[in-house]
Amino acid sequence: MYKLLGNPKTRAGRVLWMLEELGAEYEVNPCNPHDPAVAAINPTGKIPALIDGDTVIFDSIAMLLHLGDKHQKLTYPVGSAERAKMMSVIFFATDAIEQPLWTVAKHSFVYPEDVRALEAVRPAARHEFGKAMEALDKMLGDQEFIMGDEFTTADIVLGHLGGWAKGSGFGADDGRIGAYMSRVRSRPAWKAVLKAAAGKT
Ligand SMILES: N[C@@H](CCC(=O)N[C@@H](CS)C(=O)NCC(=O)O)C(=O)O
């Protein structure tokens, strides 16, 4: 039984999505960052944190890759060309798409108020996000999923970021990218996460 710490409305949501896709057994403590429960196991106090037996994993992407490897689903064999390509997409997503979203979030509600500079960072974040969407559109082309015909971990990362973008007013809902986001975000596993999260509020 996996134990996940983290409010589903954060990056914990992408891990819950993966757990649902895998049909894994898990329990969730929907705590917020720096809750004593998470501070006790993660030196940064950040969420999510995943407990798998005696192992504690701190980073959501590390969790997704670990779960995929362990269950041998939604990924490719370690060392394969497909696995390398999928990781390229995932790291592109967290570098080029997530960072501008995270920058705006940090300047909106994470940093202490006296160091926030939201209006100063917003134009660069929007510029960076726009460039990332251009690149994503090229990567995606007319494929159903980012790796082709198969839904993989990379689609969970991208689909989760699509929701984050929409929720923070960046948008990723036009054209091929918009259709792709609707496709992946309509999967039953993600709907189950949303339903469970809504039930907790
Ligand atoms: N790269 C980490 C980032 C973790 C992270 O920054 N989590 C946010 C919530 S989504 C958090 O705990 N923020 C509180 C803080 O930065 O102090 C991951 O993907 O898990």
Side-chain angles (χ1 to χ4, degrees), residues 10-11 14 33-34 45-48 58-61 63 98 102 110:
T10 67
R11 291 173 180 89
R14 58 177 66 147
H34 310 292
K46 292 190 180 209
I47 53 169
F58 303 144
D59 186 275
S60 61
I61 300 300
M63 293 169 208
E98 184 167 299
W102 184 222
V110 178

Side-chain angles (χ1 to χ4, degrees), residues 116-136:
R116 290 182 199 168
L118 182 59
E119 294 318 317
V121 299
R122 207 197 295 269
R126 285 201 174 271
H127 171 78
E128 196 182 336
F129 185 83
K131 289 281 172 202
M133 288 301 106
E134 285 173 20
L136 178 61

Side-chain angles (χ1 to χ4, degrees), residues 152-164:
T152 66
T153 305
D155 297 298
I156 292 182
V157 177
L158 288 168
H160 184 258
L161 286 170
W164 183 348

Side-chain angles (χ1 to χ4, degrees), residues 1 17 23 25 37 43 45 47 54 60 75 93 96 126 128 168-169 188 200:
M1 164 89 78
W17 187 348
E25 276 193 40
I47 53 169
D54 294 334
S60 61
T75 189
R126 285 201 174 271
E128 196 182 336
S168 53
K200 287 196 172 72

Side-chain angles (χ1 to χ4, degrees), residues 7-135:
N7 182 331
K9 291 181 179 163
T10 67
R11 291 173 180 89
R14 58 177 66 147
V15 183
L16 289 166
W17 187 348
M18 182 80 175
L19 288 163
E20 285 288 331
E21 292 279 357
L22 295 173
E25 276 193 40
Y26 64 89
E27 62 185 42
V28 192
N29 172 350
C31 63
N32 286 319
H34 310 292
D35 184 279
V38 76
I41 57 167
N42 182 356
T44 67
K46 292 190 180 209
I47 53 169
L50 181 72
I51 303 175
D52 178 8
D54 294 334
T55 307
V56 180
I57 308 170
F58 303 144
D59 186 275
S60 61
I61 300 300
M63 293 169 208
L64 298 185
L65 292 172
H66 171 67
L67 289 168
D69 288 342
K70 201 166 158 178
H71 291 256
Q72 296 191 24
K73 283 187 187 159
L74 308 181
T75 189
Y76 302 95
V78 172
S80 67
E82 290 87 358
R83 162 77 175 217
K85 191 177 164 200
M86 187 188 79
M87 285 194 295
S88 303
V89 174
I90 290 174
F91 293 125
F92 154 78
T94 55
D95 180 25
I97 305 176
E98 184 167 299
Q99 283 318 306
L101 299 175
W102 184 222
T103 296
V104 165
K106 282 186 287 192
H107 283 275
S108 303
F109 57 83
V110 178
Y111 289 149
E113 281 185 34
D114 58 342
V115 300
R116 290 182 199 168
L118 182 59
E119 294 318 317
V121 299
R122 207 197 295 269
R126 285 201 174 271
H127 171 78
E128 196 182 336
F129 185 83
K131 289 281 172 202
M133 288 301 106
E134 285 173 20

